[in-house]
């Protein structure tokens, strides 16, 4: 079955045609590691993971590369732009390398907790300074650069179709821009290499043919993506905020340096909003995985919530919505614990599930098919087999639950039988106290006609 993906570059859904038969190369713009990833960032990484898993599930041999932006870059090219890495160093009293290492490890832990599969490569910007310098040199040789007092810039007026990704021509952007251009020739021009300011000793700075400094923000992704994947490679992903600047500039750099289209398909995940608005540390509504865990959620509840929205629609995060996701996931887990071991499968549902994903990764539809299958009258062993196949893409960790009856620990079983005795004795006070005790160790006890049923909270 052919897989259709929406390509930002062509503004349409296209049949995905791998460049190399049977293979697919994906480059996902990764995290900037000066703080914890927030749940908005993580939504975009879940999207890239679903893409990767869908292609793998369809039989392709996928190479998935995600960069780690561990070099400080300015929030914009203006000389007074803030360097977020330096802000973090001051906040935490650490070196830039210590900050980057700490938050890289924190990121790895987060993606593991969200069942996001590890990338085949995690190139770090600081390990690829030479590749970046080489690319800037090629751009210089090909006539796309000029130098100002603070760095080497890409001259966007030199590239014939600059702006093709965002569909905004350089001229239009210029007309709409009211920013301080400094010494830049065009408002869309951007830094390829920045000089370290005089008298400032940076933790991260390197020698270059143009002077001591550090790379601009966009060059790392052009240089590293073509190092680990061919140019062009198949698919480049990121959040929608990357379209207009970061990806536009990556595409321009690769075109200018190598005369090649960087990637055939450019895919962008819509934003996660919180309570209907923007997320921000200053707004107090910026949550991390640890925040969700602290509030009693499993990180997979969040993954389930994300899968419930198509990646190209905005998703508004609320704790009510997360609770609904938690309830749905708990019902799924409880249901499948009672199933027989996997055997056989249900082709009708598998076909519909695959068709949903093949339609530009329609995960809400895929989840609907999954539930229809779960609630169907087929044998539980066939349902188990199909569910585990679905979970290769959904990544809900169902292998831990399918046909795995809940093992209630001895101490909980003792409390439950004490509570049953209390109920026989009509000692409701003791019965309630025991229910609370059982809840404290993570279990729920429900009273049914046939006695107490114990569930995991
Ligand atoms: P950063 O660490 O800032 O480079 O961002 C990592 C990824 O998260 C990028 O692909 C961004 O486009 C994406 N991103 C940032 N904010 C949000 C958000 N609120 N919702 C979804 N994705 C986001
Ligand atoms: Zn990037």
């Amino acid at each position: 079955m052919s897989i259709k993906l929406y390509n930002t570059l062509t503004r349409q859904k296209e049949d995905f045609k791998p460049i190399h038969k049977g293979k697919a190369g994906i480059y996902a713009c990764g995290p900037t590691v000066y703080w914890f990833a927030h749940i908005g960032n993580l939504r975009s990484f879940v999207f890239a993971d679903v893409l990767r898993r869908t292609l793998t599930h369809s039989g392709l041999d996928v190479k998935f590369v995600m960069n780690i932006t561990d070099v400080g870059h300015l929030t914009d090219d203006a000389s007074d732009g803030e360097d977020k890495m330096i802000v973090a160093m001051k906040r935490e009293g650490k070196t830039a390398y210590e900050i980057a290492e700490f938050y890289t490890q924190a990121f790895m832990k987060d993606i593991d907790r969200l069942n996001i599969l590890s990338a085949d490569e995690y190139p770090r910007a600081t390990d690829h300074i030479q590749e970046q310098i080489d690319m800037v040199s090629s751009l210089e040789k090909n006539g796309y650069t000029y130098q100002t007092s603070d760095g080497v810039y890409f001259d966007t007026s030199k590239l014939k179709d600059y702006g093709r990704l965002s569909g905004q021509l350089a001229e239009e952007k210029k007309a709409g821009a009211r920013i301080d251009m400094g010494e830049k020739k065009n408002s869309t021009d951007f830094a390829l290499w920045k000089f370290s300011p005089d008298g400032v000793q940076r933790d991260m700075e390197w020698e270059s043919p143009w002077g001591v400094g550090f790379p601009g923000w966009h060059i790392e992704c052009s240089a590293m993506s073509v190092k680990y994947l061919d140019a062009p490679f198949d698919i480049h992903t990121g959040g929608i905020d990357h379209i207009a600047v970061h990806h536009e500039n990556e595409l321009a750099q690769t075109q200018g340096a190598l005369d090649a289209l960087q990637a055939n398909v450019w895919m962008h995940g819509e934003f996660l909003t919180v309570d209907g608005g923007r997320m921000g540390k200053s707004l107090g509504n910026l949550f991390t995985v640890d925040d969700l865990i602290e509030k009693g959620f499993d990180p997979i509840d969040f993954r389930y919530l994300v899968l419930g929205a198509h990646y190209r629609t905005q998703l508004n995060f609320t704790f009510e919505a997360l609770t609904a996701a938690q309830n749905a996931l708990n019902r799924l887990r409880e249901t499948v614990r009672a199933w027989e071991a996997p055997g056989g499968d249900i082709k009708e549902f598998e076909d519909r599930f695959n068709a949903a994903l093949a339609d530009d990764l329609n995960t809400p539809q895929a989840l609907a098919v999954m539930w229809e299958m779960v609630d169907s009258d087929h044998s539980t062993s066939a349902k188990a087999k199909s569910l585990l196949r679905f979970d290769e893409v959904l990544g809900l960790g169902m292998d831990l639950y399918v046909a795995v009856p809940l093992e209630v620990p001895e101490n909980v079983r003792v409390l439950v039988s004490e509570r049953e005795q209390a109920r026989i004795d009509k000692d409701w006070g003791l019965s309630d106290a025991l229910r609370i005790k059982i809840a404290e160790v993570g279990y729920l006890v429900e009273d049914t006609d046939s006695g107490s049923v114990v569930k995991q909270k």
Side-chain angles (χ1 to χ4, degrees), residues 120-133:
D120 297 298
E121 302 278 354
Y122 285 110
R124 296 170 194 229
T126 53
D127 289 337
H128 297 81
I129 298 299
Q130 191 55 50
E131 287 84 345
Q132 297 175 69
I133 290 174

Side-chain angles (χ1 to χ4, degrees), residues 75-131:
T75 44
D76 59 54
D77 283 335
S79 48
D80 56 354
E82 227 181 9
D83 183 323
K84 292 182 182 168
M85 190 63 89
I86 291 180
V87 173
M89 287 161 60
K90 286 189 189 141
R91 181 182 69 220
E92 303 186 20
K94 292 181 182 164
T95 67
Y97 287 96
E98 286 166 348
I99 296 278
E101 186 53 33
F102 179 82
Y103 289 109
T104 301
Q105 292 314 321
F107 175 72
M108 296 300 171
K109 187 170 162 196
D110 282 348
I111 60 169
D112 193 41
R113 293 189 291 193
L114 285 171
N115 274 354
I116 293 172
L117 298 175
S118 282
D120 297 298
E121 302 278 354
Y122 285 110
R124 296 170 194 229
T126 53
D127 289 337
H128 297 81
I129 298 299
Q130 191 55 50
E131 287 84 345

Side-chain angles (χ1 to χ4, degrees), residues 344-351 373 376 378-379 382-383 386:
D345 48 19
I346 318 168
K347 192 167 175 330
E348 172 217 341
F349 284 110
E350 294 211 10
D351 287 348
M373 190 275 291
S376 73
H378 289 276
S379 75
K383 292 200 284 190
S386 285

Side-chain angles (χ1 to χ4, degrees), residues 246-271:
H246 182 52
H247 286 179
E248 193 76 85
N249 293 345
E250 275 189 40
L251 189 147
Q253 290 167 153
T254 310
Q255 191 74 48
L258 304 176
D259 195 20
L261 181 64
Q262 188 178 350
N264 281 353
V265 185
W266 297 70
M267 294 178 70
H268 296 94
E270 250 291 357
F271 261 37

